[in-house]
Amino acid sequence: MTEPMELSRSECETLLRRGVVGRVAIATPAGPYIVPINYSVSVGHVVVCTTPYSLLGSQGRDRLVAFEVDHFEHPRMRGWSVVVRGRTEAVEDHEELRALMRVLPRPWASGHRSLYLRIPLDEVTGRRLGAGWDLEENLPVHRAL
Amino acid sequence: MTEPMELSRSECETLLRRGVVGRVAIATPAGPYIVPINYSVSVGHVVVCTTPYSLLGSQGRDRLVAFEVDHFEHPRMRGWSVVVRGRTEAVEDHEELRALMRVLPRPWASGHRSLYLRIPLDEVTGRRLGAGWDLEENLPVHRAL
């Protein structure tokens, strides 16, 4: 078994920028939910795109959420995770929306998404299991930074 | 882009039983958190093991939580996720604890964990992106069922 270790803020941000899919946790009166979603990091925020009628779109606006990305290497029983916590804001400025549409990854799921939510990178924490291995080496995707 | 499709209850349970690491979302007065954790499925419950002093151990007892497992195939932009939602219970019966210790996976992270929490498989939902591919084919781990 390996020792859990905290990641630095800059390690967390690098790993966040590499990924294209993560998970949002939202609290609702009926308890918490977890929703996998495509995302991008842009100008100090995690940005996701959903429909106004989804669980996230209807209950996740202007709410405290947690957003998580991780990667596990099963054969070696190790991995890392990064969590961003903050209050979501709907992006409403037209200029900003146009800029976001250029940087966001193409969603994997079909459907029309018109609601852009951003989570500020205020509280960013991460952990890794074990020292002495390259966290970025075996990532399934390498988005250009 | 591919169509999201609901998984059947039995597909969800099969995928749940195959995995060894998932994520728990818990709601706290300070907002939601997401915690990656090793798990097992035993007698109609997801079972995880933590310390009484962790975030999950201190704020996740007798609470509504969401537990998620997923798998994404980045090159093909597809994947699946399964979510279990329910109220956690601490396992306190000695016989049951002894039985659980035999089936739970060895935790990847070091540290002494004495608190076993279980989440009943009451609300189990899952989604996949796209039809016509074997959800279990490219899993990183194949726990024997």
Side-chain angles (χ1 to χ4, degrees), chain B residues 11-86:
Chain B
E11 286 173 314
C12 290
E13 286 205 21
T14 301
L15 292 167
L16 262 181
R17 285 174 198 279
R18 288 288 189 201
V20 295
V21 61
R23 302 142 199 101
V24 184
I26 51 177
T28 78
Y33 283 83
I34 301 184
V35 182
I37 196 160
N38 289 115
Y39 77 100
S40 201
V41 176
S42 174
V43 206
H45 294 78
V46 166
V47 186
V48 299
C49 186
T50 184
T51 79
Y53 310 105
S54 67
L55 184 81
L56 184 60
S58 60
Q59 305 216 36
R61 280 179 84 143
D62 197 27
R63 295 285 164 81
L64 284 174
V65 300
F67 176 82
E68 191 250 19
V69 294
D70 59 37
H71 179 63
F72 304 115
E73 296 186 3
H74 283 77
R76 298 193 163 184
M77 300 201 290
R78 65 190 186 186
W80 57 261
S81 64
V82 172
V83 175
V84 179
R85 297 180 67 250

Side-chain angles (χ1 to χ4, degrees), chain A residues 48-115:
Chain A
V48 299
C49 185
T50 185
T51 79
Y53 311 104
S54 68
L55 186 79
L56 183 59
S58 61
Q59 304 216 38
R61 280 179 83 143
D62 197 27
R63 295 284 165 82
L64 283 173
V65 299
F67 176 81
E68 193 250 17
V69 294
D70 59 36
H71 179 64
F72 303 117
E73 295 186 5
H74 284 77
R76 300 192 160 183
M77 298 202 287
R78 65 189 186 185
W80 56 262
S81 63
V82 172
V83 175
V84 178
R85 297 181 65 250
R87 185 172 289 275
T88 57
E89 300 163 348
V91 181
E92 279 161 348
D93 179 80
H94 284 258
E95 279 303 312
E96 202 178 338
L97 278 173
R98 263 195 292 272
L100 280 177
M101 284 175 201
R102 286 194 294 269
V103 300
L104 274 174
R106 189 158 68 98
W108 293 3
S110 60
H112 182 65
R113 289 171 191 76
S114 58
L115 176 60

Side-chain angles (χ1 to χ4, degrees), chain B residues 4 9 16 29 32 41 46 50 56 63 70 78 94-95 103 105 114-115 117 120 122 131-132 137-138 141-142 145:
Chain B
R9 168 77 186 223
L16 262 181
V41 176
V46 166
T50 184
L56 184 60
R63 295 285 164 81
D70 59 37
R78 65 190 186 186
H94 285 260
E95 278 304 312
V103 300
S114 59
L115 176 61
L117 293 176
D122 291 341
E137 193 179 289
N138 293 310
V141 63
H142 274 271
L145 288 188

